Amino acid sequence: MPSNPNDDSEPLPASGIIPGPGDLRQYPADDLVAWQPQGVLDDDLLDEIAEWLCTIDKASPPLKRFVDLSRLTMVAVRTSHVFEFARQRAEQFAGATPVKSALFSEDWVGFGIARMYESLMKETPIDARAFRDRATAAVWLGVPVEILKLEDKPAPAH
């Protein structure tokens, strides 16, 4: 129930912090895991993303994913590393249940990396899409747009 009787907006969906990199959240009611990496997107951060994706894939049924690249301060990843990352993800996910993975960036460089990943995942069980608009990503993922703002206060991990 909204706290203000004149406020028709829905309360923010409940999220919880799950093991993995900082700011990794799970929204159980929407079968979604969301992450907003910060700092420099380099080969090390890309490897960290791959690591948490593998952990999530092993720990639970496939969840929809949302990666918000808006807090990156710089992109310094080698193109060859993006190709290697995509190849490994496709191999790890071979024969698995398809999963949606939305990548969001308003910045053109981050969006370009997301589009590259999208194209590399074609014809794999990872249905990756790059977005420059949260509302469009929310519709595609089938979740409330409020979730993708990542403004809620997650419950601590148990």
Side-chain angles (χ1 to χ4, degrees):
M1 171 181 267
S3 57
N4 178 345
N6 297 324
D7 183 1
D8 292 344
S9 66
E10 293 291 317
L12 288 173
S15 71
I17 295 178
I18 59 174
D23 301 316
L24 184 60
R25 302 166 184 216
Q26 183 175 13
Y27 295 86
D30 292 286
D31 295 325
L32 179 78
V33 64
W35 187 31
Q36 191 174 49
Q38 299 180 30
V40 178
L41 178 60
D42 57 11
D43 294 349
D44 292 337
L45 183 56
L46 199 58
D47 290 342
E48 191 176 337
I49 293 169
E51 202 172 298
W52 77 259
L53 286 173
C54 290
T55 301
I56 289 168
D57 293 342
K58 291 175 185 171
S60 65
L63 300 170
K64 297 175 275 190
R65 289 104 187 235
F66 178 70
V67 180
D68 179 351
L69 302 175
S70 66
R71 293 235 174 134
L72 295 176
T73 56
M74 183 173 24
V75 176
V77 69
R78 292 176 299 142
T79 306
S80 62
H81 203 77
V82 175
F83 279 89
E84 180 65 17
F85 172 85
R87 185 191 62 75
Q88 288 175 350
R89 292 297 302 140
E91 286 175 3
Q92 291 165 345
F93 229 73
T97 304
V99 64
K100 287 185 171 188
S101 187
L103 299 106
F104 168 76
S105 181
E106 293 173 327
D107 174 76
W108 280 107
V109 176
F111 182 70
I113 296 292
R115 286 294 303 234
M116 182 187 314
Y117 182 69
E118 176 184 327
S119 69
L120 292 170
M121 290 294 98
K122 292 226 184 289
E123 299 183 30
T124 75
I126 301 169
D127 189 2
R129 302 277 171 95
F131 295 93
R132 295 200 66 204
D133 176 70
R134 290 179 205 273
T136 306
V139 169
W140 183 72
L141 287 168
V143 301
V145 71
E146 292 78 24
I147 288 178
L148 302 188
K149 293 177 184 176
L150 303 177
E151 293 176 341
D152 62 303
K153 299 289 183 230
H158 293 101

